[in-house]
Amino acid sequence: MPQDSDRSTGLIQRIWRSIVRGPLYPRDDRDRKWLVVNNLILHLRPIRLPRRSLKFTHTWGLGGIAFVLILLLAATGVLMMFVYEPSTEGAYESIVLLQDRVLFGTMVRNVHHWSANFLILIVFLHLLRVYFTGGYQGARQFNWVIGLVLLFGVVASNFTGYLLPWDQLSYWAVTISTGMIAYVPFIGEWLREVVRGGAEIGQATLINFYTFHTTVIPVVLILFLAWHFWRVRKAHGVVYPRTVDGEDEESPEYVLTLPHLLVREVAVALALVAFVMVFALFFDAPLGDAANPGMSPNPAKAPWYFLGIQEMLLHFHPTFAVVIIPTAGLVALVLLPYLKYTDDSAGIWFMSRRGRRLALLATVTASIFTPLWIVMDEYWLNLTGWLAGVPSGISNGLLPTAVMAGGVALFYAMLKKIFSATRGEAIQATFVLLTVGFVILTVTGVWFRGAGMALVLP
Ligand code: HEM
């Protein structure tokens, strides 16, 4: 109990007091101690935090937004499990039933669908925020790796959910995506069969995906989310925000998490829920015709977050597009926090003034060269034709990959030589170059590919 005097008062009185007096507004040290030991929120948050960390534009609330979206997904997902039937005969019908016959069924499905898609976008933006504020350095290094597992989990969750409506869209998107697995050297065909639960997409695939979507992935996400938050707590909250000019406070002013952080988090969460609800009211989750394994739509596209990779398939040998380049990207992402940085830039957006300029230069460079290369490859470049006789793994795989890697290395060297960039600034600009390049590939796949995957205007 918070106060000794409470022992002498009645139960109702004590409960009433604890409601009206606190725990939001601790009055003295004893109150505060009670609050810290007994409060669930403060097991997850530091007790005090620098006032500057509260500034919305430091984190944009993205980690918290991701968490609220996950809660929305869990709530709407459980509701849909009461109606959904994981069988090839019943799945599509059960979704139609949910939409047409269940009170608020369409709304629940819409909220689930849009929350899942926003989540991928938000987690990606959160990753960028953490990277560009140096939130991966020092005590936070390993939390970056935990974050990557979360990212992988969120994408896997989205992908396994994609199949469940069993309509033309989902059936063929999953056919395309799982088809890509076959390009993994040596074990590709076997792995594809394991994922599909057979040679073709069918009942076994649906049960595999349903179990992963509703049980395995949520459990993994819950465990890693708890670990992620605990690591943030252990690092004393988010990285301390600093300015490029170094006019940082000598001794930062600290405020109590309760209520200062909590009211902000609740405000963002409420605004988010309202936004998703309104969005779901106006935009329905897509539902095509029932799956027809005999009729492939044209173009047949993977889910949007895999379209960057599907786009690469049009330019590189499949083993490079699906396995080697994505694996290299993933390894680079894992290693990012462990590279040797000379700058002390934690908490400063884009490290320094030069860091900002070079990030902009990288954005412009990628925005020119990526579309140029896509168009050139579509209309002019014909490596397999020009180098007929050379195995396509070399002419269309090793060769363009080496040219691309050479271009990136040249860019890095130029940053150091011409712009006297520090190691950290050069790595950051290279990261921007590759990220913007990948985003442009994804945008091309989503809006600029039509029938036969030909380049078209949207
Ligand atoms: C389901 C996905 C995720 C959720 C719900 C989540 C949630 C959070 C939250 C609530 C914070 C506290 C500050 C904030 O709001 O920004 C945070 C911090 C952090 N997150 Fe995540 N996160 C997720 C994914 C990721 C990913 C993909 C990465 C990076 C690869 C990552 C790396 C980090 C790091 C390093 C911090 C500490 C940053 C700092 O101290 O400034 N997280 N995360």
Side-chain angles (χ1 to χ4, degrees):
M1 281 286 105
Q3 301 274 315
D4 287 345
S5 62
D6 281 350
R7 294 213 182 93
S8 59
T9 54
L11 179 67
I12 304 286
Q13 236 175 334
R14 274 168 15 219
I15 293 174
W16 174 244
R17 259 199 215 169
S18 79
I19 293 171
V20 292
R21 185 180 53 203
L24 282 183
Y25 297 96
R27 296 221 177 123
D28 55 27
D29 271 356
R30 289 166 88 191
D31 242 10
R32 205 156 283 147
K33 269 185 210 139
W34 175 85
L35 175 70
V36 170
V37 173
N38 291 295
N39 197 294
L40 172 71
I41 293 166
L42 289 180
H43 276 85
L44 302 171
R45 295 276 185 279
I47 300 141
R48 291 186 188 77
L49 75 165
R51 190 180 278 285
R52 294 173 73 131
S53 303
L54 290 174
K55 207 168 160 216
F56 185 66
T57 50
H58 179 49
T59 63
W60 297 89
L62 292 165
I65 291 177
F67 183 61
V68 175
L69 287 173
I70 289 176
L71 294 182
L72 273 179
L73 282 163
T76 47
V78 168
L79 285 178
M80 287 198 292
M81 283 174 79
F82 285 106
V83 179
Y84 180 75
E85 192 189 317
S87 75
T88 52
E89 294 88 34
Y92 184 78
E93 289 308 317
S94 69
I95 296 285
V96 173
L97 181 94
L98 171 79
Q99 301 205 141
D100 293 351
R101 308 298 287 266
V102 178
L103 189 64
F104 293 122
T106 305
M107 185 67 180
V108 169
R109 177 164 182 254
N110 288 355
V111 169
H112 195 78
H113 176 87
W114 293 119
S115 299
N117 284 285
F118 291 151
L119 181 62
I120 293 205
L121 210 65
I122 292 290
V123 172
F124 175 64
L125 293 176
H126 171 61
L127 179 151
L128 295 184
R129 185 298 279 173
V130 170
Y131 183 72
F132 292 129
T133 55
Y136 57 87
Q137 296 175 12
R140 297 175 175 84
Q141 274 173 332
F142 188 64
N143 214 10
W144 172 268
V145 181
I146 297 173
L148 286 179
V149 176
L150 287 173
L151 174 66
F152 190 74
V154 164
V155 172
S157 179
N158 211 299
F159 178 58
T160 46
Y162 209 98
L163 182 66
L164 303 187
W166 206 252
D167 62 343
Q168 274 291 72
L169 204 71
S170 67
Y171 181 89
W172 286 101
V174 172
T175 304
I176 299 285
S177 313
T178 51
M180 290 187 200
I181 299 173
Y183 297 123
V184 174
F186 311 117
I187 56 162
E189 304 268 336
W190 170 81
L191 198 64
R192 182 184 56 185
E193 237 176 275
V194 170
V195 173
R196 286 184 178 174
E200 300 296 329
I201 305 267
Q203 179 61 40
T205 326
L206 190 55
I207 282 293
N208 276 357
F209 276 43
Y210 181 70
T211 310
F212 269 97
H213 187 72
T214 55
T215 313
V216 181
I217 300 171
V219 169
V220 172
L221 280 181
I222 289 170
L223 293 177
F224 277 82
L225 275 173
W227 199 3
H228 195 57
F229 294 155
W230 180 72
R231 298 290 303 209
V232 175
R233 173 79 175 81
K234 283 284 150 193
H236 304 292
V238 294
V239 63
Y240 179 66
R242 291 152 67 208
T243 60
V244 248
D245 307 313
E247 36 153 70
D248 308 306
E249 297 158 46
E250 282 286 296
S251 48
E253 183 197 348
Y254 276 80
V255 292
L256 287 169
T257 294
L258 296 180
H260 295 279
L261 179 59
L262 190 73
V263 287
R264 283 165 173 81
E265 287 178 334
V266 171
V268 171
L270 290 177
L272 173 72
V273 173
F275 171 77
V276 175
M277 293 284 182
V278 173
F279 197 92
L281 212 56
F282 287 102
F283 300 97
D284 281 341
L287 185 68
D289 294 333
N292 179 355
M295 199 190 76
S296 157
N298 188 4
K301 290 189 183 182
W304 66 267
Y305 37 86
F306 287 150
L307 284 182
I309 295 180
Q310 198 180 352
E311 178 65 29
M312 280 206 289
L313 263 175
L314 299 172
H315 306 285
F316 291 96
H317 183 276
T319 307
F320 282 80
V322 175
V323 186
I324 296 177
I325 299 174
T327 307
L330 204 66
V331 171
L333 268 182
V334 174
L335 293 181
L336 258 186
Y338 298 99
L339 301 176
K340 250 199 157 73
Y341 295 96
T342 42
D343 332 49
D344 168 28
S345 62
I348 304 174
W349 272 99
F350 295 101
M351 292 190 169
S352 59
R353 286 194 196 289
R354 188 172 43 209
R356 285 177 193 178
R357 280 199 300 272
L358 296 183
L360 191 65
L361 176 73
T363 307
V364 174
T365 311
S367 307
I368 293 172
F369 282 98
T370 319
L372 198 69
W373 170 62
I374 292 173
V375 173
M376 253 173 50
D377 200 23
E378 177 90 358
Y379 297 111
W380 174 67
L381 208 64
N382 179 14
L383 289 174
T384 35
W386 295 343
L387 301 173
V390 178
S392 70
I394 295 177
S395 63
N396 202 29
L398 197 60
L399 185 66
T401 307
V403 170
M404 193 180 75
V408 173
L410 198 71
F411 181 76
Y412 181 87
M414 180 192 80
L415 295 173
K416 297 208 65 160
K417 251 215 140 47
I418 302 178
F419 297 97
S420 314
T422 63
R423 213 181 136 88
E425 289 163 351
I427 292 173
Q428 177 181 260
T430 310
F431 172 85
V432 173
L433 183 83
L434 295 174
T435 306
V436 174
F438 185 71
V439 170
I440 291 175
L441 288 179
T442 305
V443 167
T444 308
V446 174
W447 284 298
F448 293 89
R449 290 286 173 190
M453 293 305 273
L455 215 49
V456 291
L457 286 174

